[in-house]
């Protein structure tokens, strides 16, 4: 066979193979397209259609009088499906729509929006986000009336994607206590600790994957979300404000590193204020919860002497306050260390009460050596009996665990007993120290502090919290009597006499503990004052910690005690229960009706009808109304919310007011406390300028 013939045969075979392969491809295409077409279309649709969660509205965090501390306000992103609109509607409205979008957002030209929408329609894209900027509810209502958009989501293609933002009406007040939670479910404070209640249960809806994203399909199978519960706290907004301001001034004055203040009701354990401020380059902010967490767990210093004296009186009840002890010249050798007192050349001979009032380290150490030198385990056993070695089971995550040594530990030294007795070689958080002082004020009953009082679903209480007793009787009545006398003496004659009040009695103890850096004690201090007031009938207990103050006077009595006094003065002035009662005859108004002055028309009408109060709606067509009494009924008057005009929110609840004012792009400042708006700083109906601030007063 010739070479030419051989090559020709090979070419023909290759050509035949290529033809057969091409026929096979055509056959497969025809088979997939026509014979198996329905099958593959079904699979494609299944993969394109999916369920997506619909997030629930997060619950509110409320103060003790139900003022809103944190709430969620709705905002929207605007997306568009340009393929669903009929040609005549699209062509007649696209120019006007592009002009309105350009004017509203103010970032791109009219031609940009026209090209973007037309290109998407031409290429068959079923989802485009028109702008990343979020809009409020009033803007949403406005856009819903624009050309094309007015046809709705099914025929007009407009998609308003709801986004909720967390808003705190009182700004940074109690910011760390309220806390936060991020997208990764990490956070702090009440937002994090009660996230399971606040977040609610997400629903789900059917979405379709399309070029550029996904769009919802409303086919009736969607599951509505169950909105989060509200959390009612024990915090008092006014006392919280006083605590933060007093603490801030003290920190600035002393250039300290951080500070914390806790104010608690003696009988109930309810925390009325919890302030935490840490130093930053820009000043002091709530950067960490020093009152509860590990960073605030420190050696308490002289405030711990109360526990040592309690152990002493329980162990040796024969010890009297008038018994004397020689503290010498202010220097006392214990093993291989020297203990000193604050006064140069020492205090000399002191009574037991004076040892406590003047906070003599040597006096306390000598008493501990005398009565516990051979029974060191007994001393620690008393501390454990007082509950000082256990956590409080506080309602917020992150409570520090107390650190308390035991004679069986390897690091228990010959000086540990005397060091512990004056507040060293152990660690407590401020809240744990306060709970101990509160037990003395509460006649020996140690209770668990609480900061959350109720969990609510609207107005229905789902769960309520009462403080529980941690130690039924922390010590004997005889011991309590001695301790209270000493605590009052500290303010009357001792290290805190600078906060003596002519109006009410204060009982407490100062503390000044040296800090440890690189394993050595340095000339930096953690200063404190813990106590309660009024001393003869305690209503509140309080602790103040100011860490690393700078200046000449850096002792607890000079730095921390004045903060306690300022807060105590304000609390006493506003709490009439601590004053002598004034009797007055109050005549009830039997003709009064339960009237909310303003709010949502639908909500108010439903409420009044459900409780049987007659209402007159007239020709009300607005979403928001005013309510006026009319004989034995109520009359609704329109209260329109106009674009770029200051709305009238007087008489509304705080949440309604925040919702409306936020939608009008106003910066809102809230003052006072209460459920309703008493007055507003901007006149209703006036024009809204850029970055305008409105102040609303609550009653």
């Amino acid at each position: 066979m010739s070479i030419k013939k051989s090559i020709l045969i090979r070419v023909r075979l290759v050509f035949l193979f290529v033809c057969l392969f091409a026929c096979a491809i055509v056959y497969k295409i025809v088979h997939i397209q026509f014979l198996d077409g329905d099958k593959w279309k079904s699979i494609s649709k299944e993969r394109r259609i999916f369920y997506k969660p619909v997030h629930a509205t997060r619950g509110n965090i409320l103060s003790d009088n139900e003022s809103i501390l944190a709430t969620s306000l709705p905002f929207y992103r605007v997306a568009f499906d340009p393929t669903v609109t009929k040609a005549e509607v699209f062509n007649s409205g696209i120019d006007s729509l592009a002009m309105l979008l350009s004017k509203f957002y103010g970032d791109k030209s009219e031609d940009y929006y026209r090209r973007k929408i037309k290109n998407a329609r031409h290429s068959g894209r079923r989802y485009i986000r028109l702008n990343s900027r979020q809009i409020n509810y009033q803007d949403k209502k406005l856009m819903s009336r624009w050309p094309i958009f007015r046809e709705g989501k099914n025929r007009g293609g407009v998609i308003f994607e709801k986004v909720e933002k967390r808003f705190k009406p009182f700004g940074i007040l109690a910011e760390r206590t309220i806390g936060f939670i991020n997208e990764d479910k990490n956070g702090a404070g009440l937002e994090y600790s009660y996230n399971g209640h606040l977040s609610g249960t997400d629903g789900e809806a059917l979405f379709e994957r399309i070029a550029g994203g996904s769009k919802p399909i409303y086919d009736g199978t969607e599951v509505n979300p169950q909105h989060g519960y509200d959390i009612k706290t024990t915090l008092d907004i006014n006392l919280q404000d006083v605590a933060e301001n007093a603490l801030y001034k003290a920190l600035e004055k002393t250039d300290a590193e951080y500070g914390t203040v806790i104010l608690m009701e003696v009988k109930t354990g309810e925390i009325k204020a919890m302030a935490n401020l840490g130093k930053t380059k820009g000043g002091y902010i709530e950067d960490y919860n020093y009152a509860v967490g590990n960073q605030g767990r420190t050696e308490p210093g002289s405030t711990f002497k109360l526990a040592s004296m309690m152990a002493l009186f329980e162990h040796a009840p024969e010890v009297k306050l008038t018994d004397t002890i020689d503290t010498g010249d202010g220097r006392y050798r214990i093993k291989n260390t020297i203990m000193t007192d604050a006064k140069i050349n020492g205090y000399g001979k002191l009574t037991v009460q004076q040892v406590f009032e003047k906070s003599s380290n040597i006096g306390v150490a000598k008493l501990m050596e005398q009565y516990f030198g051979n029974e060191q385990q007994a001393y620690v056993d008393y501390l454990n009996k007082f509950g000082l070695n256990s956590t409080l089971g506080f309602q917020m995550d992150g409570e520090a665990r107390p650190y308390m040594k035991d004679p069986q530990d390897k690091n228990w030294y010959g000086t540990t007993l005397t060091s512990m007795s004056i507040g060293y070689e152990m660690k407590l958080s401020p809240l744990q120290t306060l709970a101990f002082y509160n037990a003395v004020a509460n006649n020996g009953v140690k209770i668990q502090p609480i900061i959350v009082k109720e969990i609510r679903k609207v107005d229905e209480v789902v769960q309520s919290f009462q403080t529980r007793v941690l130690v039924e009787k922390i010590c004997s009545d005889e011991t309590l009597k001695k301790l209270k006398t000493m605590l009052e003496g500290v303010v009357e004659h001792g290290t805190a006499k600078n906060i003596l009040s002519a109006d009410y009695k204060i009982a407490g103890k100062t503390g000044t503990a040296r800090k440890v850096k690189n394993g050595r004690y340095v000339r930096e201090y953690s200063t404190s004052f813990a106590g309660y007031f009024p001393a003869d009938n305690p209503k509140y207990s309080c602790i103040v910690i100011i860490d690393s103050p700078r200046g000449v006077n850096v002792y607890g009595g000079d730095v921390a005690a004045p903060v306690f006094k300022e807060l105590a003065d304000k609390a006493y002035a506003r709490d009439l229960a601590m004053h002598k009662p004034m009797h007055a005859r109050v005549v009830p108004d039997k003709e009064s009706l339960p009237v909310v002055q303003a709010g949502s028309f639908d909500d108010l009408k439903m409420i009044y009808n459900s409780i049987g109060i007659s209402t007159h709606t007239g020709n009300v067509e607005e979403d928001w109304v005013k309510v006026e009494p009319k004989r034995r009924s109520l009359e609704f008057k329109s209260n329109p919310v106009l674009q770029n005009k200051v709305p009238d929110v007087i008489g509304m609840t705080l949440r309604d007011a925040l919702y409306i004012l936020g939608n009008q792009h106003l910066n809102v400042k809230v003052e006072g406390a209460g459920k309703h708006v008493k007055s507003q700083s901007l006149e209703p109906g006036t024009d809204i300028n850029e970055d305008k601030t409105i102040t609303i007063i609550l009653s």
Side-chain angles (χ1 to χ4, degrees), residues 48 50 52 77-83 116 120 123-131 159 161 207-216:
R48 196 173 71 246
F50 67 100
K52 183 178 178 180
R77 293 193 190 98
V78 184
F80 188 42
D81 178 358
T83 65
K116 181 175 183 176
S123 60
R125 290 183 61 189
R126 301 189 61 189
Y127 178 92
I128 56 170
R129 183 167 290 171
L130 296 176
N131 197 289
I159 304 168
E161 299 173 337
F207 282 75
E208 181 181 5
R209 289 189 180 91
I210 52 179
S214 60
K215 62 175 289 186

Side-chain angles (χ1 to χ4, degrees), residues 49-91:
I49 304 299
F50 67 100
Y51 279 99
K52 183 178 178 180
V54 178
H55 297 298
T57 298
R58 194 169 180 83
N60 301 319
I61 298 178
L62 311 171
S63 70
D64 63 345
N65 68 349
E66 300 185 23
S67 295
I68 296 176
L69 300 176
T71 189
S72 294
L73 298 179
F75 288 83
Y76 303 86
R77 293 193 190 98
V78 184
F80 188 42
D81 178 358
T83 65
V84 302
T85 311
K86 292 182 179 179
E88 58 269 23
V89 175
F90 183 87
N91 293 332

Side-chain angles (χ1 to χ4, degrees), residues 274-317:
M274 182 182 284
N276 298 278
L277 296 174
K279 189 177 184 180
T280 63
K281 291 182 179 179
Y284 292 93
I285 63 170
E286 288 230 349
D287 61 341
Y288 184 80
N289 195 333
Y290 300 100
V292 178
N294 281 311
Q295 289 187 36
R297 187 186 71 161
T298 60
E299 293 176 309
S302 293
T303 54
F304 194 78
K305 290 173 182 174
L306 181 67
S308 295
M309 299 306 288
M310 183 183 287
L312 171 65
F313 295 141
E314 288 291 279
H315 188 67

Side-chain angles (χ1 to χ4, degrees), residues 58-259:
R58 194 169 180 83
N60 301 319
I61 298 178
L62 311 171
S63 70
D64 63 345
N65 68 349
E66 300 185 23
S67 295
I68 296 176
L69 300 176
T71 189
S72 294
L73 298 179
F75 288 83
Y76 303 86
R77 293 193 190 98
V78 184
F80 188 42
D81 178 358
T83 65
V84 302
T85 311
K86 292 182 179 179
E88 58 269 23
V89 175
F90 183 87
N91 293 332
S92 64
I94 184 60
D95 291 336
S96 298
L97 179 61
M99 179 196 68
L100 289 169
L101 287 169
S102 175
K103 185 177 180 181
F104 179 84
Y105 287 115
D107 58 343
K108 304 289 183 180
S109 67
E110 177 182 336
D111 186 54
Y112 167 84
Y113 282 104
R114 185 188 299 109
R115 285 200 318 270
K116 181 175 183 176
I117 295 172
K118 281 190 171 181
N119 289 342
R121 181 178 173 90
H122 179 72
S123 60
R125 290 183 61 189
R126 301 189 61 189
Y127 178 92
I128 56 170
R129 183 167 290 171
L130 296 176
N131 197 289
S132 59
R133 189 179 115 194
Q134 297 173 4
I135 65 170
N136 58 39
Y137 180 71
Q138 295 298 325
D139 294 333
K140 174 179 177 287
K141 288 180 66 176
L142 175 67
M143 284 187 170
S144 297
R145 296 193 289 267
W146 287 359
I148 302 179
F149 285 3
R150 69 169 66 103
E151 301 295 322
K153 60 179 178 291
N154 294 325
R155 292 186 295 176
V158 63
I159 304 168
F160 293 109
E161 299 173 337
K162 188 176 179 181
V163 179
E164 291 194 336
K165 287 185 177 180
R166 206 65 172 157
F167 180 70
K168 298 176 181 177
F170 294 96
I172 62 173
L173 198 68
E175 185 173 27
R176 193 69 185 194
T177 303
I178 295 169
F180 67 94
I181 189 162
N182 58 27
E183 293 180 356
D184 297 325
K185 303 302 180 184
N186 296 319
L190 294 170
E191 292 275 20
Y192 176 72
S193 301
Y194 285 84
N195 182 53
H197 295 90
L198 290 165
S199 60
T201 304
D202 291 344
E204 63 177 12
L206 207 56
F207 282 75
E208 181 181 5
R209 289 189 180 91
I210 52 179
S214 60
K215 62 175 289 186
I217 301 172
Y218 299 96
D219 63 348
T221 63
E222 56 269 11
V223 178
N224 293 326
Q226 300 296 316
H227 298 317
Y229 294 156
D230 295 338
I231 302 296
K232 182 179 178 181
T233 71
T234 62
L235 294 174
D236 183 307
I237 286 297
N238 293 315
L239 293 176
Q240 179 73 30
D241 189 39
V242 172
E244 289 192 17
N245 286 332
L247 181 62
Y248 192 93
K249 288 186 295 184
L251 292 172
E252 274 199 323
K253 182 179 178 180
T254 59
D255 192 28
E257 288 301 312
Y258 73 81

Side-chain angles (χ1 to χ4, degrees), residues 266-535:
V266 170
K267 299 297 182 185
T268 65
E270 293 182 6
I271 292 175
K272 292 300 174 183
M274 182 182 284
N276 298 278
L277 296 174
K279 189 177 184 180
T280 63
K281 291 182 179 179
Y284 292 93
I285 63 170
E286 288 230 349
D287 61 341
Y288 184 80
N289 195 333
Y290 300 100
V292 178
N294 281 311
Q295 289 187 36
R297 187 186 71 161
T298 60
E299 293 176 309
S302 293
T303 54
F304 194 78
K305 290 173 182 174
L306 181 67
S308 295
M309 299 306 288
M310 183 183 287
L312 171 65
F313 295 141
E314 288 291 279
H315 188 67
E318 70 276 8
V319 176
K320 298 180 178 61
L321 297 182
T322 54
D323 291 348
T324 59
I325 189 164
D326 189 2
T327 63
D329 62 357
R331 292 174 61 83
Y332 179 58
R333 176 174 290 277
I334 304 173
K335 302 297 182 184
N336 59 344
T337 64
I338 299 294
M339 181 176 285
T340 61
D341 273 338
K343 184 182 179 182
I344 298 174
N345 299 324
Y347 295 108
K349 187 174 288 188
L350 296 174
T351 65
V352 171
Q353 177 161 340
Q354 289 173 331
V355 164
F356 191 80
E357 290 175 351
K358 297 182 183 299
S359 199
S360 170
N361 294 333
I362 295 173
V364 173
K366 282 190 170 184
L367 286 168
M368 294 301 109
E369 282 187 326
Q370 181 179 346
Y371 289 96
F372 291 106
N374 298 321
E375 299 181 73
Q376 297 185 15
Q377 184 65 55
Y379 173 75
V380 175
D381 289 343
Y382 278 114
L383 301 183
N384 295 341
K385 175 192 170 186
F386 304 154
L388 291 169
N389 65 329
S390 304
T391 58
L392 300 168
F394 191 52
Q395 292 171 310
M396 288 169 57
D397 287 357
E399 181 189 356
R401 180 170 292 279
Y403 170 65
M404 201 74 59
K405 283 187 177 181
D406 189 274
Q408 309 305 318
D409 296 340
K410 292 181 180 179
N411 60 349
W412 183 278
Y413 308 114
T415 57
T416 297
L417 172 67
T418 50
S419 292
M420 284 184 66
S421 70
I422 62 172
Y424 290 94
E425 296 193 43
M426 67 166 56
K427 290 184 179 181
L428 293 173
S429 73
L431 184 62
Q432 290 156 358
T433 299
L434 178 61
F436 178 71
Y437 272 75
N438 192 82
V440 174
N442 197 27
N443 293 320
V445 182
K446 187 177 182 182
I447 58 176
Q448 179 189 53
I450 63 171
I451 197 169
V452 174
K453 199 169 185 178
E454 292 175 351
I455 297 174
R456 294 181 172 185
K457 183 178 183 180
V458 192
D459 288 331
E460 178 188 353
V461 177
V462 176
Q463 187 177 359
S464 61
F465 300 94
Q466 300 293 330
T467 188
R468 63 187 182 89
V469 175
L470 300 176
V471 181
E472 195 71 45
K473 192 68 172 176
I474 202 167
C475 63
S476 68
D477 291 336
E478 183 183 351
T479 296
L480 278 174
K481 185 177 179 181
K482 293 175 182 178
L483 296 175
K484 290 180 178 180
T485 301
M486 290 195 305
L487 288 167
E488 292 174 29
V490 170
V491 179
E492 293 173 358
H493 315 290
T495 55
K497 59 185 178 184
N498 58 314
I499 66 168
L500 181 66
S501 174
D503 300 316
Y504 60 96
K505 295 179 72 174
I506 296 174
K509 180 71 184 75
T510 57
T512 308
R514 291 179 67 175
K515 300 195 68 179
V516 176
K517 287 191 175 180
N518 300 321
R520 298 174 63 89
Y521 284 102
V522 296
R523 292 286 178 182
E524 289 186 20
Y525 302 93
S526 175
T527 66
S528 58
F529 185 88
Y532 53 87
F533 62 95

